[in-house]
Amino acid sequence: MRIVLLGPPGAGKGTQASRISDTYQIPHISTGDIFRANMKNETPLGLKAKEYMNNGQLVPDSLVIDMVSDRLQQEDVKKADYGYLLDGFPRTVAQAESLDEINKNNDGGLNFVINLEVPFDILIDRISGRRICPVCQATYHISNNKPKLDGICDLDGAKLFQREDDQEETVKNRIKVYQDQTEPLIDYYKDSGILVNINGLQHMDDVFTDIKKILDGAN
Ligand code: ADP
Ligand code: ADP
């Protein structure tokens, strides 16, 4: 299965992506996670991406497209019958066009584009309360999705942290960037017959139930 998760920052893409990837055994590819790992290791790609990310801007298309193109050649994707779950890519029309091109070269188009709909006024609270595990990247929320022990990852006991770009001022910028550059993708995919809108305002378990219905073909 080849799936794209769309939605504004804080819509719940990462939260749902982990569940989808576990349930359907397809590689979860988060471009944000890949950039953060590169930044942490101070690779040339990480150093190039850092300033854009910390300002809430998109990393230039050419850097992102090459990175995703390489990632989609890896063994886990091949093993899953050229299956993947993209979280945070594409984010521009140029990226969506490149993904179509990559898929064409691999004889495998997208099966689903899942668009998580959440009103903008909810996003700031979701993002400013987000906490991340530096080891396994599990995502929590200080009130909606608390870890068992305050500030500690349930899965590996690591100390949770707040992403630098999750500060309120940067978040506003990211939402604006989403509206300008990523929202047009809804139109891009509208006529393809594979776009599904999901109410992301529900409890995360109910969001996942709706997604499962779609993926299992029950709808
Ligand atoms: P995205 O990857 O789209 O930016 P995340 O999955 O990281 O979003 O979720 C953003 C924050 O909102 C996290 O702190 C997460 O725990 C919380 N969250 C995710 N889904 C829901 C939901 N359905 N209801 C309430 N909070 C949620
Ligand atoms: P969120 O969870 O809020 O949706 P991500 O973790 O997906 O955020 O992305 C964090 C940052 O990484 C973005 O604000 C952007 O700077 C960069 N980034 C991630 N994916 C892309 C992409 N496809 N194109 C350009 N920049 C990206």
Side-chain angles (χ1 to χ4, degrees):
M1 231 171 349
R2 289 170 291 279
I3 307 171
V4 161
L5 271 181
L6 273 188
K13 299 182 296 297
T15 302
Q16 298 302 326
S18 301
R19 297 178 182 211
I20 297 168
S21 168
D22 286 349
T23 304
Y24 296 91
Q25 296 293 304
I26 35 178
H28 170 197
I29 301 175
S30 155
T31 41
D33 283 350
I34 300 176
F35 281 130
R36 279 184 289 279
N38 275 277
M39 269 165 62
K40 196 169 160 198
N41 295 325
E42 301 187 334
T43 67
L45 179 64
L47 294 174
K48 282 185 199 147
K50 188 172 177 173
E51 202 158 320
Y52 297 102
M53 289 180 75
N54 287 346
N55 290 326
Q57 299 296 328
L58 294 185
V59 177
D61 282 337
S62 58
L63 292 180
V64 190
I65 291 167
D66 283 352
M67 179 181 92
V68 170
S69 177
D70 286 349
R71 179 66 186 84
L72 293 179
Q73 307 299 326
Q74 287 177 16
E75 214 38 53
D76 55 344
V77 173
K78 286 189 197 147
K79 254 200 200 146
D81 282 333
Y82 191 58
Y84 54 75
L85 169 62
L86 283 168
D87 160 11
F89 182 95
R91 259 179 157 99
T92 63
V93 170
Q95 292 179 17
E97 288 169 348
S98 301
L99 180 61
D100 284 345
E101 213 39 49
I102 296 170
N103 283 334
K104 220 188 280 168
N105 295 335
N106 286 289
D107 280 339
L110 288 174
N111 302 108
F112 299 100
V113 175
I114 295 175
N115 180 37
L116 297 179
E117 296 181 303
V118 177
F120 290 124
D121 56 339
I122 304 288
L123 300 173
I124 305 240
D125 167 71
R126 283 212 187 162
I127 300 180
S128 47
R130 169 160 61 188
R131 298 292 181 271
I132 313 272
C133 172
V135 176
C136 69
Q137 318 309 322
T139 300
Y140 299 87
H141 188 278
I142 51 170
S143 44
N144 303 339
N145 184 23
K146 291 183 185 175
K148 292 192 184 96
L149 282 177
D150 241 8
I152 303 291
C153 180
D154 292 346
L155 304 175
D156 49 37
K159 192 164 179 279
L160 303 179
F161 77 104
Q162 182 175 32
R163 276 168 44 180
E164 190 158 335
D165 60 340
D166 280 353
Q167 312 289 337
E168 192 162 331
E169 266 320 296
T170 315
V171 171
K172 286 189 185 144
N173 213 8
R174 284 162 61 201
I175 293 174
K176 169 102 181 44
V177 166
Y178 167 82
Q179 288 174 305
D180 291 347
Q181 300 193 58
T182 308
E183 214 166 34
L185 289 182
I186 296 172
D187 265 345
Y188 181 88
Y189 287 118
K190 208 167 57 195
D191 297 329
S192 64
I194 55 170
L195 177 71
V196 186
N197 293 316
I198 300 271
N199 174 7
L201 201 52
Q202 310 171 84
H203 187 279
M204 49 191 90
D205 294 345
D206 298 323
V207 176
F208 186 54
T209 302
D210 280 3
I211 294 176
K212 263 203 321 214
K213 275 189 205 152
I214 301 294
L215 299 185
D216 293 340
N219 248 12

